[in-house]
């Protein structure tokens, strides 16, 4: 019997000058464990006169995880961090009580053809940590745990799996695993997974109980503990999940909270320019369709 409980097709979402494929939230599945938002960026091919320019925007109540497959993004934030995000590295930012950041094409690439391709993920913070001080952590690819099994290469990007632990400073029990199949092979991860679990197919083909699934599909498991799948050669998948929170999470724009009142406060604070500024980036992204109370 198949362990696939729900299939979510990637849906196009417009970010202004950038189209992405949205995976979460979905009307039938708002979150998988603590994962509340996932966008698949690209691959977007930009000409020499086109650039990624996401100006300063705020976050509260969540951690962001940026993981690139191709290309480069210059990250600047209100904590003073200014660094280039490159493929394979993990960039983890705790929004907590409030952080602002921008994401742009690095200066040295702005007049050349380029590509941007990766995943942007929001992970809700536990209720007792929703108002922690914001922070930013950059982990190089070679610091992440890796292993191979049945011709499949694995990388633990964040969280824990069996006796392995990523150095990414997560705040609740979770896992985010990359699997790349060099040959046809079987994945049997169930004994190390827990909570709610899902699998995103970046490329290739996954077969479960005779049913074939292809790229840009998100498969939500009925039971994380029985995750056994067959991967065709050349397939890349991402398995993620963890323990869900007892409280519902509400999302408005770039804000996540267990409290609707906290979301309203964040809306007013951003509209009234009460969030911290990003050094060296003075742009301001207005909040969509919101007017402060008179």
């Amino acid at each position: 019997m198949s362990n696939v409980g729900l299939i979510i097709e990637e849906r196009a979402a417009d970010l202004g000058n950038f189209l992405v494929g949205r995976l979460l939230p979905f009307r039938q599945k708002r979150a998988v464990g603590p994962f509340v938002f996932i966008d698949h960026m690209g691959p977007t091919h930009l000409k020499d006169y086109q650039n990624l320019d996401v100006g300063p925007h705020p976050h509260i109540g969540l951690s962001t995880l940026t993981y690139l497959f191709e290309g480069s993004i210059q990250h600047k934030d209100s904590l003073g961090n200014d660094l280039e995000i490159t493929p394979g590295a993990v960039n983890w930012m705790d929004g907590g009580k409030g952080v602002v950041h921008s994401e742009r094409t690095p200066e040295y690439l702005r007049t050349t053809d380029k590509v941007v391709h990766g995943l942007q993920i929001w992970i809700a913070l536990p209720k007792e940590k929703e108002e922690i001080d914001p922070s930013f952590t950059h982990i190089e690819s070679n610091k992440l745990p890796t292993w191979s099994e049945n011709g499949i290469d694995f990388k633990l990007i964040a969280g824990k799996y069996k006796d392995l632990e990523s150095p990414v400073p997560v705040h609740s029990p979770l896992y985010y695993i990359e699997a790349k199949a060099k040959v046809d092979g079987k994945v049997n991860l169930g004994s190390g997974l827990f909570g709610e679990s899902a699998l995103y197919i970046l490329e290739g083909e996954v077969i479960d109980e005779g049913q074939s699934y292809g790229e840009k599909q998100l498969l939500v498991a009925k039971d994380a503990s029985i995750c056994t799948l067959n991967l065709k050669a050349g397939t890349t998948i991402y398995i993620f999940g963890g323990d869900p929170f007892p409280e519902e999470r509400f999302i408005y724009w770039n804000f996540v909270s267990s409290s609707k009142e906290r979301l309203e406060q964040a809306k007013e604070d951003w509209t009234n320019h009460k969030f911290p500024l990003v050094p060296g980036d003075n742009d301001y992204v207005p909040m969509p369709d919101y007017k402060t109370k008179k």
Side-chain angles (χ1 to χ4, degrees):
M1 182 179 294
S2 174
N3 190 36
V4 177
L6 178 67
I7 304 167
I8 300 175
E9 302 283 350
E10 190 172 301
R11 294 136 12 245
D14 191 348
L15 298 186
N17 64 340
F18 211 70
L19 277 177
V20 299
R22 182 140 302 160
L23 298 164
L24 285 178
F26 184 65
R27 63 183 180 274
Q28 293 167 264
K29 189 65 178 171
R30 307 301 298 175
V32 174
F35 291 77
V36 295
F37 182 97
I38 301 179
D39 270 354
H40 175 206
M41 305 180 293
T44 298
H45 296 270
L46 300 171
K47 298 294 186 182
D48 56 0
Y49 56 87
Q50 298 173 311
N51 290 292
L52 172 69
D53 279 308
V54 180
H57 57 282
H59 290 291
I60 67 162
L62 56 82
S63 300
T64 64
L65 192 162
T66 303
Y67 188 77
L68 293 181
F69 312 131
E70 298 177 87
S72 178
I73 296 175
Q74 194 72 26
H75 165 99
K76 291 185 179 183
D77 63 40
S78 53
L79 301 170
N81 295 295
D82 182 354
L83 79 162
E84 184 180 355
I85 299 174
T86 54
V90 176
N91 291 268
W92 178 272
M93 184 175 68
D94 292 326
K97 63 185 181 183
V99 73
V100 181
H101 74 134
S102 62
E103 298 158 292
R104 301 184 185 276
T105 298
E107 200 61 40
Y108 74 96
L109 293 175
R110 295 185 73 85
T111 56
T112 63
D113 292 354
K114 78 281 293 181
V115 62
V116 180
H117 190 200
L119 290 173
Q120 286 207 312
I121 296 168
W122 295 359
I123 299 169
L125 288 166
K127 186 175 182 179
E128 68 275 11
K129 294 188 176 182
E130 287 183 315
E131 297 296 320
I132 60 173
D133 289 336
S135 63
F136 181 83
T137 304
H138 175 87
I139 306 290
E140 294 291 350
S141 179
N142 61 7
K143 303 297 184 184
L144 302 173
T146 60
W147 71 100
S148 297
E149 186 179 329
N150 297 334
I152 300 169
D153 294 332
F154 296 92
K155 180 186 291 184
L156 180 59
I157 297 170
K160 293 183 179 181
Y161 175 72
K162 293 185 176 178
D163 59 347
L164 299 175
E165 183 172 2
S166 165
V168 175
V170 303
H171 296 282
S172 67
L174 62 86
Y175 45 86
Y176 177 40
I177 301 167
E178 176 185 81
K180 293 188 172 186
K182 294 178 288 189
V183 297
D184 291 0
K186 178 178 283 190
V187 171
N188 188 354
L189 295 172
S191 62
L193 304 184
F194 53 88
E196 297 181 334
S197 185
L199 177 156
Y200 174 62
I201 306 167
L202 177 68
E203 58 187 351
E205 183 182 5
V206 172
I207 300 172
D208 176 51
E209 295 296 327
Q211 176 67 47
S212 174
Y213 302 95
E215 63 182 39
K216 298 186 177 182
Q217 288 187 314
L218 179 68
L219 312 180
V220 180
K222 296 175 185 174
D223 185 343
S225 67
I226 54 171
C227 179
T228 301
L229 301 158
N230 289 290
L231 306 185
K232 302 297 287 184
T235 296
T236 299
I237 62 173
Y238 292 87
I239 302 137
F240 63 92
D243 291 342
F245 297 126
E247 321 87 6
E248 183 179 358
R249 288 302 183 273
F250 305 103
I251 300 177
Y252 179 87
W253 192 39
N254 299 312
F255 305 132
V256 174
S257 181
S258 60
S259 163
K260 290 184 178 180
E261 291 75 22
R262 182 66 180 92
L263 290 184
E264 291 302 318
Q265 184 62 56
K267 295 177 191 179
E268 291 197 26
D269 287 348
W270 182 249
T271 301
N272 293 317
H273 298 270
K274 291 184 178 180
F275 272 79
L277 299 175
V278 176
D281 196 334
N282 297 320
D283 282 357
Y284 172 80
V285 177
M287 193 162 44
D289 304 323
Y290 180 77
K291 293 181 175 60
T292 188
K293 298 184 181 75
K294 299 296 184 184

